[in-house]
Amino acid sequence: MSAESPLALPQARLTQRPAFWAGLAVIALGLTAALGLSLVRGNSEPLPRLGTLPDFSFTRQDGQPFGNAQLRGHPYIANFIFTRCPTICPAFTRKMAHVQKSTDAHGTGLQLVSFSVDPKYDTPERLAEYGQTHGANFARWSFLTGDYAVLQDVIVQGFKVSMGREAGAPEDDLTSIFHGSHFVLVDSKGEIRGYYDSADSDSTDRLLVDVKRLMREEA
């Protein structure tokens, strides 16, 4: 994904490479500029519309198909993880668990969706165990796996979030896997309404505020 895009997101990659961190700074500046527009507008105006997601259907942790058809009519918060990630993902998932608890009042009207970026390893069974470990309420929080190429296309081209693996890396090289570390807020029609840096507490607090704004908008 090009860093020139105003919606380009920083990658969460397990690496020490200097080139990565230089690129991260450039991408982060672009994201900050894009998201700053919504703050300038204030809470009284509708959230920005940042693109419509393509149709998709993957496999949920219970083995059932899950995608646009099941999410239609439900706003949701998406994030991107893999179960054998040793650093970024456990913290990212704990923050999603916090979002789950903080939005309990919305019930199943607001869904949470975690997409695996390591689908060959992340079987539905592994995702179910991972979700249970992190206190997921599966009535609201779904974990999705599926074909790698299709997932990558939906995540990169649809959500505009980075995902991939370094070329030529062995299957067990977890440091070669990279993915975005932002929450994505999506409305009931499948339009992206905001990006929120999971590493920034102010940004995740803004997510909770924007969820309330979106739920009021769609009431």
Side-chain angles (χ1 to χ4, degrees), residues 63-129:
Q64 297 300 308
F66 191 87
N68 296 91
Q70 291 74 29
L71 289 165
R72 190 170 294 116
H74 297 279
Y76 64 95
I77 300 163
N79 76 340
F80 312 90
I81 53 90
F82 62 109
T83 64
R84 55 180 177 168
C85 170
T87 56
I88 303 281
C89 301
F92 200 4
T93 304
R94 285 194 297 271
K95 290 177 182 179
M96 183 68 108
H98 171 70
V99 170
Q100 175 184 247
K101 182 177 181 181
S102 300
T103 59
D104 271 345
H106 299 297
T108 57
L110 177 70
Q111 293 287 303
L112 312 176
V113 185
S114 292
F115 293 79
S116 172
V117 302
D118 185 23
K120 185 175 180 180
Y121 180 85
D122 284 340
T123 61
E125 294 79 12
R126 285 192 172 111
L127 289 174
E129 182 178 358

Side-chain angles (χ1 to χ4, degrees), residues 1-2 8-13 20 27 58 79-82 114-120 122 144-167 176-182:
M1 180 176 58
S2 171
L9 302 182
Q11 298 172 147
R13 189 196 299 251
F20 163 71
I27 295 172
F58 296 113
N79 76 340
F80 312 90
I81 53 90
F82 62 109
S114 292
F115 293 79
S116 172
V117 302
D118 185 23
K120 185 175 180 180
D122 284 340
L144 305 186
T145 188
D147 179 82
Y148 183 91
V150 179
L151 271 161
Q152 186 176 47
D153 185 65
V154 169
I155 292 172
V156 175
Q157 302 302 324
F159 283 97
K160 302 297 189 292
V161 169
S162 60
M163 168 192 167
R165 180 189 289 272
E166 292 181 0
S176 70
I177 299 172
F178 59 89
H179 60 92
S181 58
H182 282 66

